[in-house]
Amino acid sequence: MPSVLGLMERREARARQELESWTEVLEQAQAEVDSARERVERARVGREELVSVLAEESTVSSPVSVPSGGAVVTAVGSSGSGAGYGEQPPVWRSGMGEEVLSGLYREVFAAVVAASEPVSGAELARAVGREAEIKNEVEKIRHRAYVLARRGWLVREKDGRFTPAPAAVGRDASPASAERPRPGAGTA
């Protein structure tokens, strides 16, 4: 009987060793997947930034074609739209209110205006109803805030947080910003 028990113990040890080996392979594969996913995300954000910059810089008379994963996106002057963004916000000018902003740009602007202090991308994501734990969702919102900052609606602080541009918002809260909860503010 001791020999059968010894065989079973060796069999268990081999199975345990095999499990550890496959677990290590799985962990390495997961690390590679995570790394590749991060590279894809950085490349996507970079491409979207490039399309946005080209859209801002180009004129209506000279569209710029930018490859976008097999398709070609045409970035047109300031009245055009960037890939996947809908209507790009106009450059802020005196007398312009947030009603000229559309979709998520308006929501992001309203959330920053409603905040009592500078807000981060994660706080903005929560304020507009996105899951701040999902990096991609935070990056989408942060990108819109960057665009609003480049166009004079917001100010990007040195720490990466956003505040309303003083000229773009009066001291009276606008109707859209009054409806939004303040990011990070649970109780008043």
Side-chain angles (χ1 to χ4, degrees):
M1 204 139 64
S3 63
V4 172
L5 183 59
L7 288 173
M8 294 304 291
E9 287 173 348
R10 284 192 298 257
R11 183 177 181 191
E12 181 183 353
R14 279 194 311 268
R16 189 178 316 279
Q17 202 172 27
E18 189 177 332
L19 174 63
E20 289 173 4
S21 176
W22 280 113
T23 301
E24 185 177 320
V25 168
L26 181 61
E27 288 170 354
Q28 290 172 349
Q30 186 61 50
E32 291 295 324
V33 166
D34 292 342
S35 177
R37 185 172 284 131
E38 189 172 320
R39 287 191 307 272
V40 166
E41 183 62 19
R42 282 195 313 260
R44 183 195 60 78
V45 169
R47 178 185 47 81
E48 290 175 352
E49 283 286 328
L50 176 63
V51 168
S52 178
V53 168
L54 290 174
E56 290 175 18
E57 299 298 322
S58 66
T59 63
V60 176
S61 62
S62 61
V64 177
S65 294
V66 179
S68 173
V72 173
V73 176
T74 302
V76 184
S78 62
S79 63
S81 61
Y85 287 101
E87 185 75 21
Q88 288 277 320
V91 174
W92 183 85
R93 287 185 298 276
S94 180
M96 218 180 246
E98 70 182 82
E99 65 278 354
V100 301
L101 299 175
S102 62
L104 203 45
Y105 289 107
R106 186 173 186 167
E107 289 183 53
V108 168
F109 179 75
V112 173
V113 169
S116 59
E117 55 190 31
V119 290
S120 68
E123 292 167 326
L124 281 173
R126 278 192 284 290
V128 299
R130 301 293 177 99
E131 294 186 46
E133 295 75 30
I134 300 175
K135 185 177 180 180
N136 188 33
E137 291 298 314
V138 173
E139 288 306 314
K140 287 177 187 176
I141 301 305
R142 185 179 289 129
H143 176 75
R144 282 167 176 81
Y146 287 149
V147 171
L148 288 167
R150 283 195 310 266
R151 293 181 173 254
W153 293 89
L154 300 178
V155 173
R156 183 170 178 241
E157 302 290 327
K158 289 182 182 179
D159 64 358
R161 293 176 178 257
F162 297 92
T163 58
V169 63
R171 290 300 106 203
D172 297 327
S174 62
S177 62
E179 297 169 9
R180 283 262 164 243
R182 291 183 176 187
T187 58

